[in-house]
Structure formats: C-alpha cells, structure tokens
Amino acid sequence: MAESKLLVKGSVPPPLDRELTVVGKPLNRRDAGEKVTGQAKYSGDIKLPGMLYGKTLHCPHPRARIVKIDTSKAEALAGVMAVLTKENTKGWRTSWYEVPEIAFPETITHEGTEVAAVAAVDVTIARRALELIDVEYEVLTPMLDAEEALKSPPPPLVADEEYPGREMFDRKPFVIQRGDLKKGFEEADVIVEDTYTTQVSHHGTIQTRACIASWDGHDLTVWDAIQGVWNSKLALAKSLGLDPDNVRIIVRYLGGGFGSKAWSQRITYYAAKLSMITGRPVKMERTRGEEFINHSRRYDTKMYLKMGAKKDGTLTAILQKAIVDIGAAATEENYYCRQIIWHTANLHACPNLYLEQIGVNTNRQTTGPTRSPMNMQAIFALESHMDRMAMELDIDPLDFRMKNYATYQSVGTAEAHLTGDGTTTFAAKIPYSSKILDQCMTLAADAIDWKKRKKSFSTDPGPVKRGMGMASYLVLQGVGLYPYVAEAKVAIKNDGTINLFVGVVDIGGGQQTILGMIAAEELGVTSDDVTVMIGDTQDTLYGPSCHASRCTPEMGPAVLQAAAEARQKLFEHAAPLLGADAGALRSKNGMIYVKSDPSRSVSFKKACQGIAPDQSILGVGSRAPNPAEPMMATFGAQTVELEVDTEIGRVTILKFVAAQDFGKPINPKLCISQVYGGIEFGVGFALTEEGLYDPKTGKLLTGNLSEYRMPTSLDFPPVEVYLPECEDPYFAYSAKGAGENTNAPTPAAIRNALYNATGVWFNNLPITPDKIIRAMQAKAKGVR
C-alpha cells in the first residue's frame, strides 16, 4: 500500500493496516426507500402556515430596454401582498455562480430575464397579478451567433446593460502552445483538418427549481433545491445584507442538478426578499418553461482542428481554434477559458501545438456548468479527429491512441494564468497522481470484441448498417476544485451513537451513503452504525457545493480525518479495558481489539460507555488544497456498437462499454449508476437534444420537453461498466469523483461508430435522423 498523502490539514491519518470491510461494497443508497415510496419531501412538497406564493414575470425578448413598467393594477388585486420591480429594488444585486447580476435590470440581455416578482395568497392570484403588470419595451438588436458577432465590434451598452466578465473574457483569445508548430507540420506525412460544432443543450432536471423562504425578523430559513447549502447561505447573506449566522439553508432531497443548481437561484433571492417585506413564508417554484428560458445552458461551440502525423502514427502537430458562445455572462466561475484546448493539449502526446479558445458574449441565456462542462464538446472534436487521422493513416483507432499515449501532463489547470495576453506556454512534464487510461482503453475494446470491427465502413447490403466506435478522455473533474475547502465532524456519544456532520447536499449521487461508508470504515463499524447529518447549514461546518464531481474527493479526506481522530480518542477509553496502549489498538466490524492479539477485544459500544453521558467524543477533519504537482485528473474510455437504418436515419445502440478510472470506488453500485447517467446524457447530446432559436428574433423555440427531446428509458442502451482500480494516496481510500466525467467520450464514440457503419463523418451535433438521411443521399450522389 502506498504511503498516505491524504489531502488534509494537520495530522495525516496513516492507512488502515487491515482489510477493508465497508469501502468497496455495493451498498444500497441510504435514501432509496424514502424516494421510491414517495416519503421523501422535496422543497416543492413543503407547506408552512401562512405561506404566500411567489411568481415572476419574464421579458420575452433577448435584448430590450424597459421604457415603462406599471404595477398599479397588480398591487390593487385582492390577495397580492407585495410586488418587486426595478423601481423599488434599485442597487440590489443577486448572484449565480458568483456571477453578479442586477436583481431587476432596466436593460435585458437574454430572454426570460425577470422584470417583476409578486407574492400572493395563492398561485392563481399571483399569476393573475403578473398578467396585470404593464411593461413597455424598446426592443434592441440582439447578438445571436458567436461567430457572426466576432465579425463586428460589440454594440454600445444601453442604460444599465451589462455582461458580467465582459472585460476579461468577451472576444479574448486564450492560448496554449508548445514546441514549434511549423516544424511539426513540416515533419508530418499526413495532415487532416476539419470543423466540428456542438449545440445548446439543457440540464433537464427532474425537479424544477423550488424554494420556501421564511423570515422571522431576525433569522432567514430557506428550504431550497440547490446543490450547495453553504455557498447559498453566504451568497444570500451578502445579497440581502444579513449576517451569515442568521441564514440557514436546508436541502433534504434534490431532484437533480447537473451543475445548474450549484449556487443560489434567482427565485431564492426573490422569495427571501418578499418574505422580509411581508413577514410571511414565501414559496416559489419554476415551471418547466421557465426553467428553459431563464436558467443556464450548455455552451454551444465551433471548433476547427488541424492535425499532423508521421506514417507510423506519431503525432507531430495540432492546431486548434475554438469559438464558444458564452451567453450573457461569463466570469471565472461559470466560464472556463482554456477548458476545450486543455483536453487537446493533454489527452494525447504531441510535441508541437498551438491551441486557441475564444469566448463571445451573445444575448442567449447565461451559460454555466452542465454535467461535464465543455468536456463533451472538447472530447467530441478531438476524439472524432483522432479517428479521422487513424483512417487516413490506415491505423486501427485503438492502436493510434496507444501509439500517442500521454504518460505525463504538459499543461497546468485549465483556469490557470488569466493575466497578460492570455497565452500560456508549457513544456514541463508533470506526472499524474495516478493514471490507468491504457487499461481502460484495453478493457473497453476487449469487452466490445473490437477485433471484429470492420477496418473500413460497412458495405453490407440493405439499409441497416452496423459499426463500432471508441473514444477516450481525461477531465479535471473528480479531484476537487478551488478553493478546496471542506470540513467534517464526527461525534460519538455514550450510548454508541455515531453522527457524521457534513455540510453538503446529496444531489442523487449517493453522497450521504458514500461519506457514511468512509466514516464507518475508518471507525471500524458498519455503515448502518453511522447517522449522516447532511443538507443543512445548521450544526455543520463548511462544505462545498456538490458539482464538478467534487464531493467524494473533497469531503472524503475531511471525513476520513474526522473519523480517524474520533476513533483514536475512543481508543483512549478502550485501552484500560484491554490492558494495552491506545496506539496498539485497532477496530473492525464493531469491535476494538489489540493488533498483536485480536482475541483481546471489546465491543465498540462498550468502549463508548466510558464517555461522559453529557459529552461526546468529537473528531474534526479539514481538506487541504491540491498540490501543484502531481497533476490530478480522472480518465476513461468507451466503446459502442450500433446499427443505423440509413433510409429513416434511426440509430439503435446495441451495446455500450465504459471503463472508468475513478481510483478506487467507495461504492461500486453507485459508481455504475453514475456511469449509466453519464452515458444517457451523452447519448442525448449525440443524437437528440438541441436548443433551437428563432434566427430572426433570437427566441428559444424548444422551451419544453416535447420539443426538446431527452432520452427516455426506451432509448437507453445495454451498458457494461468496468471499474479498474488503482491507488491514489491523495484521496480517501484512493477514491476520486465519479459523476460528470462519465459522459465526456460518449458522443465521440457514437459518431465514430456511425462512420464505421456508413462511411460518413458526422461533425455537427446532434446527429439527428434528418442529418443522416441527407448525408446518405449525398453520399449516394457522390457528394461529400
């Protein structure tokens, strides 16, 4: 076993010198029973005495200025208790992902922006009040396409119009380069260049945003549907001018987030303000249509790639330019200015490259983290191009990737070096804390029976063609995220009760199950012996938002340290009972024993009787930042076999294989569940999901789940998951995050399989039936 380098502040607990009894077991989720039986109460299910209902009015234009707003009729409507607009909230700002926003702006920068909020005694009256608000707009010319917007200067700002982050990111190129690009292309025997596009997509969470805010004159309590209780607490306190100690956030259950709920939502600010005005609890809940037009979405991109290689398959040069539509706001928190090109610089070994990423403000909805932010886009272009290169070189795609396997990383984190002219040059080889991507690729290929893959595209007679494809990935998610702050407490009482306090939210990934297992393993008890206090800022220390697959790699080390400290304190009580020094004791399966003589033992609960009845043993853990070296990332590979009916454009996925490098899974069952969810995301992004806009007005056309087609259970393919294990001493039991990284290679693998089936390269997502039909018709006519 590797020496522990666990990322914690203070004393680093040594690795357990015994077999693991809890970690690595496929335990059921702690909350599974409540969820499947309907006992779980989400924020939208809660009702408080005297509760009011809030609704918001949204601007129907992507760019406009409010000339006049008249709320007199709404205020006069019986049952309306309060109305908010720009007229009575001047100077008030909210934030989302630390993106500062005017609560009710005069100038609108994207469709769906709120222009008023009302609170009434019931929802019907609140909706009627919105109808009575008269708003006169001056419609302004919107910026609708990032590439087109680059062709001319941005329009002058009107009134209070703002695009947060504009000075830092709008139209600013950020570059990664190394080696001599010109020389690299001169050395190449084969050069291929192409362009790839990806679309707007949405989170599609099963639960829309819903909250209840209750102000009692001194304290604000919010029942919310968000991914992080502590960052919401701090953001609300700052926006409303409150002491953070007087703000409590509660999230007992959450119906999905995928990054979109990782900060306080605008309705939470409005509900809190309305409650402070009326002195009554206020509930606000978004409709599905409001979710689409008002909240963040995935960045749409256009990526140009040029790649050179020698005849033996050795990459010599890569040139890339990526244009990213960053919508109406982009700061360091919601836009990652090198995320796309970072993948290109590091997934495969190449000595010479020049990579440029440029973000462009438009009047589309704000962009932000959407399960595997920018990873799917980046990997789609890069891994699609790798297959194209392999075909031109007449090399198997798997062999081509193995030929250019990157043992080291040559570029720092994607968010680094935001100063100067935006250019970063790297040459240093930085080792990874752990990496078994080569094993993952081999596993995925063997499981799909890759050797049966046809070398060239299918020539089978008939309209139905079959093909195989693959893609690999590395991502920064799953290893923690700046500022790397996570704290945990473990309390043990006289009766043997064990409470784990963690200020994070179980967003559906089984966080409370996983963290409870880590504490149980370190304490030497069963998972059921640990009660996990989660989803509440009361009684917990700071915990990160559960996004970027960061909960396990960030909170995990803190929980392990807290449990180890509590265990050692309990050993001091057990030592006299066993006639041994506390340092000679170990614990396992609910027993504390002498390491040199396990027959000398005492039960965990009996040892707890030495604790004073009115006191508790307390262990505290605190996460330390990731070091500059080694580099930390997660990796994986996916293969797919599919059929495509070329006459009707229907794609049927026959089998998907995923091999994921998560270090060591705390709970394999939950990891496999995450892989299933990631692949579903990737299948939708590859084949069906697309946010479409009216090219003239800029209005969203796909604002419901009828027009915006997400995969259902009927679309889900057979999936095999492999979780090869490797030690990574920086994390709790070597466990990294296992959430959003799982969808990164899915669209590229599907696209590459479609080429193997049809002989057509599909470079524009999603690959819908109409595109397949047109492409096959063009191929039949000899048109490329």
Side-chain angles (χ1 to χ4, degrees):
M1 179 176 291
E3 175 192 358
S4 177
K5 300 177 182 179
L6 190 69
L7 293 169
V8 292
K9 297 177 181 177
S11 178
V12 177
L16 295 176
D17 53 358
R18 60 166 173 80
E19 75 277 10
L20 302 181
T21 59
V22 179
V23 167
K25 301 296 187 291
L27 304 184
N28 291 330
R29 300 169 188 262
R30 286 174 176 256
D31 59 0
E34 302 101 274
K35 288 183 174 179
V36 300
T37 60
Q39 297 177 60
K41 298 300 180 186
Y42 294 78
S43 56
D45 298 323
I46 297 171
K47 186 172 183 178
L48 300 179
M51 189 168 72
L52 302 176
Y53 296 83
K55 293 297 293 181
T56 49
L57 182 66
H58 304 267
C59 177
H61 309 291
R63 185 167 180 249
R65 185 179 71 86
I66 298 175
V67 176
K68 181 180 70 173
I69 183 166
D70 184 355
T71 61
S72 57
K73 293 180 181 178
E75 293 178 56
L77 181 65
V80 172
M81 307 305 292
V83 179
L84 299 175
T85 70
K86 69 182 184 67
E87 301 301 332
N88 58 1
T89 60
K90 294 185 185 300
W92 182 33
R93 281 186 173 269
T94 64
S95 68
W96 178 80
Y97 263 97
E98 292 193 297
V99 177
E101 300 173 309
I102 301 171
F104 293 100
E106 176 180 331
T107 305
I108 309 303
T109 56
H110 69 80
E111 179 191 9
T113 299
E114 297 90 348
V115 299
V118 303
V121 295
D122 63 43
V123 174
T124 301
I125 293 175
R127 288 173 176 159
R128 175 58 181 153
L130 295 184
E131 296 172 355
L132 295 174
I133 297 175
D134 182 29
V135 187
E136 179 184 338
Y137 294 102
E138 174 192 358
V139 179
L140 305 173
T141 302
M143 299 175 287
L144 301 180
D145 180 88
E147 190 173 28
E148 286 300 313
L150 279 174
K151 297 177 181 179
S152 57
L157 299 179
V158 176
D160 65 351
E161 184 177 17
E162 64 177 13
Y163 298 85
R166 186 179 194 181
E167 295 76 16
M168 180 175 285
F169 295 118
D170 182 41
R171 303 161 188 254
K172 305 293 194 304
F174 287 84
V175 173
I176 294 173
Q177 63 182 21
R178 66 171 173 257
D180 185 332
L181 188 72
K182 183 175 182 292
K183 179 183 176 183
F185 279 119
E186 288 173 350
E187 293 175 347
D189 297 309
V190 173
I191 296 174
V192 174
E193 51 190 309
D194 218 330
T195 303
Y196 305 86
T197 65
T198 65
Q199 73 280 26
V200 168
S201 69
H202 299 273
H203 300 82
T205 58
I206 193 170
Q207 178 194 19
T208 62
R209 286 155 183 79
C211 69
I212 299 171
S214 181
W215 170 253
D216 66 4
H218 184 265
D219 295 321
L220 176 67
T221 302
V222 178
W223 292 262
D224 214 338
I226 52 172
Q227 294 173 241
V229 288
W230 270 91
N231 57 11
S232 177
K233 171 190 177 86
L234 299 175
L236 279 171
K238 180 180 179 180
S239 175
L240 298 168
L242 301 174
D243 186 326
D245 289 341
N246 299 123
V247 179
R248 179 186 180 188
I249 311 295
I250 304 168
V251 182
R252 297 299 187 206
Y253 301 93
L254 181 67
F258 310 120
S260 71
K261 300 174 183 175
W263 207 264
S264 285
Q265 310 302 308
R266 287 172 70 88
I267 59 168
T268 311
Y269 295 97
Y270 301 147
K273 178 74 81 172
L274 289 167
S275 180
M276 294 172 76
I277 291 172
T278 63
R280 295 168 64 174
V282 176
K283 177 179 181 178
M284 301 190 81
E285 188 167 9
R286 292 294 196 202
T287 65
R288 184 62 64 182
E290 289 170 341
E291 289 277 295
F292 274 101
I293 66 166
N294 184 256
H295 286 283
S296 64
R297 42 88 183 182
R298 191 184 297 275
Y299 322 81
D300 50 315
T301 66
K302 187 168 187 178
M303 296 164 286
Y304 166 80
L305 264 172
K306 180 180 179 182
M307 190 178 286
K310 296 179 180 180
K311 290 179 181 179
D312 67 356
T314 303
L315 287 173
T316 61
I318 305 175
L319 172 66
Q320 182 177 32
K321 181 176 182 180
I323 300 173
V324 183
D325 184 330
I326 55 179
T331 71
E332 293 179 55
E333 297 299 326
N334 73 314
Y335 171 58
Y336 316 110
C337 62
R338 289 185 180 86
Q339 186 86 355
I340 289 175
I341 56 178
W342 179 86
H343 291 84
T344 307
N346 286 288
L347 181 54
H348 306 293
C350 182
N352 309 295
L353 50 81
Y354 181 91
L355 316 173
E356 178 182 294
Q357 179 177 323
I358 182 167
V360 185
N361 282 134
T362 67
N363 293 112
R364 289 182 175 177
Q365 284 76 15
T366 300
T367 50
T370 310
R371 191 171 190 168
S372 200
M374 290 199 192
N375 298 334
M376 277 204 298
Q377 299 96 310
I379 297 300
F380 170 70
L382 177 59
E383 288 294 85
S384 293
H385 209 75
M386 285 291 287
D387 258 45
R388 178 74 182 275
M389 284 293 296
M391 186 275 293
E392 296 291 346
L393 290 163
D394 195 25
I395 297 176
D396 181 89
L398 173 61
D399 295 338
F400 185 45
R401 287 170 172 83
M402 290 295 192
K403 176 75 174 179
N404 295 285
Y405 190 76
T407 304
Y408 299 94
Q409 190 223 29
S410 299
V411 177
T413 58
E415 295 82 12
H417 307 286
L418 301 182
T419 58
D421 63 359
T423 301
T424 306
T425 302
F426 288 92
K429 293 183 177 181
I430 303 172
Y432 289 100
S433 60
S434 65
K435 181 181 181 181
I436 52 171
L437 177 57
D438 50 348
Q439 292 184 38
C440 291
M441 288 193 286
T442 300
L443 276 171
D446 289 347
I448 205 81
D449 204 2
W450 185 257
K451 62 181 179 292
K452 291 185 177 179
R453 174 185 176 273
K454 297 179 179 65
K455 191 172 182 180
S456 59
F457 62 85
S458 176
T459 56
D460 297 336
V464 178
K465 310 293 185 182
R466 180 176 290 204
M468 288 185 183
M470 75 166 298
S472 61
Y473 78 87
L474 88 164
V475 301
L476 288 171
Q477 286 81 14
V479 294
L481 193 66
Y482 181 84
Y484 307 105
V485 178
E487 298 173 309
K489 294 189 299 184
V490 170
I492 305 175
K493 296 182 179 181
N494 170 272
D495 61 358
T497 300
I498 305 168
N499 289 322
L500 168 63
F501 297 88
V502 282
V504 296
V505 177
D506 192 324
I507 63 173
Q511 284 80 3
Q512 64 174 316
T513 306
I514 294 164
L515 298 177
M517 291 175 69
I518 292 173
E521 186 68 77
E522 199 67 19
L523 289 167
V525 298
T526 70
S527 178
D528 290 340
D529 291 328
V530 179
T531 299
V532 183
M533 317 300 287
I534 194 170
D536 195 335
T537 56
Q538 182 170 283
D539 298 326
T540 63
L541 301 173
Y542 182 88
S545 170
C546 285
H547 68 282
S549 302
R550 65 193 295 190
C551 187
T552 298
E554 277 195 53
M555 188 57 79
V559 169
L560 189 153
Q561 185 185 37
E565 181 180 317
R567 180 196 66 221
Q568 291 307 118
K569 289 181 179 180
L570 182 61
F571 282 179
E572 296 291 341
H573 290 275
L577 300 176
L578 295 171
D581 184 78
L585 302 185
R586 300 292 185 269
S587 56
K588 182 176 70 172
N589 296 329
M591 301 297 293
I592 298 173
Y593 59 94
V594 180
K595 179 184 177 183
S596 61
D597 182 6
S599 65
R600 294 163 59 192
S601 64
V602 64
S603 72
F604 191 94
K605 288 195 173 183
K606 185 173 181 179
C608 291
Q609 292 173 7
I611 306 170
D614 60 342
Q615 296 181 7
S616 297
I617 283 178
L618 186 65
V620 178
S622 182
R623 174 66 145 79
N626 288 11
E629 294 186 21
M631 186 60 197
M632 298 170 182
T634 56
F635 310 87
Q638 293 178 3
T639 53
V640 60
E641 184 174 19
L642 55 75
E643 286 183 345
V644 54
D645 187 323
T646 57
E647 289 184 342
I648 61 175
R650 183 174 61 202
V651 176
T652 301
I653 298 175
L654 304 174
K655 182 178 180 180
F656 232 109
V657 177
Q660 315 288 155
D661 173 7
F662 298 145
K664 178 179 177 62
I666 298 294
N667 186 319
K669 179 182 288 188
L670 298 185
C671 287
I672 291 170
S673 177
Q674 288 300 301
V675 176
Y676 287 166
I679 288 175
E680 182 183 23
F681 246 81
V683 168
F685 194 63
L687 299 177
T688 62
E689 297 183 39
E690 183 173 18
L692 296 171
Y693 293 81
D694 186 305
K696 294 183 179 179
T697 65
K699 291 173 66 66
L700 182 67
L701 301 175
T702 49
N704 57 59
L705 294 179
S706 176
E707 278 85 18
Y708 184 82
R709 187 173 179 273
M710 297 169 59
T712 69
S713 59
L714 298 178
D715 303 301
F716 194 74
V719 175
E720 288 184 16
V721 180
Y722 296 86
L723 303 174
E725 297 184 2
C726 64
E727 286 194 3
D728 196 319
Y730 295 91
F731 301 100
Y733 305 111
S734 298
K736 302 179 187 180
E740 55 199 299
N741 37 23
T742 56
N743 63 7
T746 308
I750 292 172
R751 178 265 191 187
N752 293 338
L754 281 170
Y755 172 78
N756 186 237
T758 66
V760 176
W761 298 111
F762 293 94
N763 292 354
N764 306 309
L765 295 183
I767 308 170
T768 49
D770 58 305
K771 292 179 183 178
I772 294 172
I773 293 169
R774 288 198 300 270
M776 297 310 296
Q777 291 173 342
K779 181 186 176 187
K781 295 177 182 178
V783 180
R784 290 194 64 181

